[in-house]
Amino acid sequence: MPGYDPQNIFAKILRGELPCHKVYENDKVLAFLDIMPRAPGHTLVLPKAPARNLLDIAPDDLAAVMHASQTIAKAAMSVFHADGITIQQFNEGAGGQVVFHLHVHVIPRKAGVAMKPPASEKERPDVLSDQALKLAAALTRV
Ligand code: AMP
């Protein structure tokens, strides 16, 4: 497996070199909205540590990412009036990974509504800003 590339796009977001629609942050984790959501509220949860994917992340960083994913999933259920949550996490190109900094997809789902295909449509920035504010506000209450 190749090593961690510090020039990947999520590393740049973590360093503040590129913007994101942040929903949550603690000392080990950053979470922000996917710019090409597969459903409204599609959130990405990342370790701050430089891990390429599940195959090289330290167990305590993985635990922090999964803990935050659970917290965000619970908040997203009410904010997005969801009926369920899909969790996805891809490893290496063969596993469907496109950006090589580990991230967990938290995707709110409505009964009977299919997810959009991956990376099919960019959401409007004002829509993402509004959703991020609502989800971040709900996360301060959990
Ligand atoms: P994957 O590596 O297959 O899990 O896919 C990477 C995900 O990152 C896709 O869902 C993209 O829509 C998303 N993505 C790519 N660039 C950005 C960005 N700058 N901000 C937020 N999400 C992004």
Side-chain angles (χ1 to χ4, degrees):
M1 186 171 87
Y4 181 81
D5 173 10
Q7 294 312 317
N8 77 76
I9 193 161
F10 292 170
K12 290 180 181 177
I13 290 174
L14 282 162
R15 289 195 295 267
E17 296 166 10
L18 290 174
C20 69
H21 296 278
K22 183 166 88 172
V23 301
Y24 179 77
E25 182 171 19
N26 67 24
D27 59 330
K28 282 189 166 289
V29 170
L30 176 70
F32 50 82
L33 294 183
D34 195 305
I35 50 168
M36 291 175 274
R38 301 192 63 184
H42 182 167
T43 300
L44 303 175
V45 188
L46 284 64
K48 290 188 172 175
R52 186 172 163 91
N53 55 41
L54 187 71
L55 303 171
D56 66 345
I57 190 170
D60 62 328
D61 289 318
L62 179 61
V65 168
M66 293 314 297
H67 186 192
S69 298
Q70 181 189 37
T71 304
I72 290 164
K74 287 180 178 176
M77 283 292 287
S78 59
V79 171
F80 298 101
H81 310 290
D83 301 307
I85 299 285
T86 295
I87 296 291
Q88 293 183 318
Q89 192 276 314
F90 304 115
N91 301 283
E92 295 301 315
Q97 188 174 13
V98 174
V99 179
F100 294 97
H101 182 110
L102 184 140
H103 50 282
V104 169
H105 298 254
V106 178
I107 308 174
R109 302 294 305 279
K110 297 254 199 207
V113 178
M115 288 194 292
K116 287 185 192 169
S120 55
E121 201 182 329
K122 253 191 172 174
E123 185 54 277
R124 281 175 20 213
D126 59 314
V127 171
L128 292 174
S129 295
D130 181 61
Q131 291 173 341
L133 278 176
K134 287 183 176 138
L135 187 50
L139 283 163
T140 63
R141 297 193 291 269
V142 293

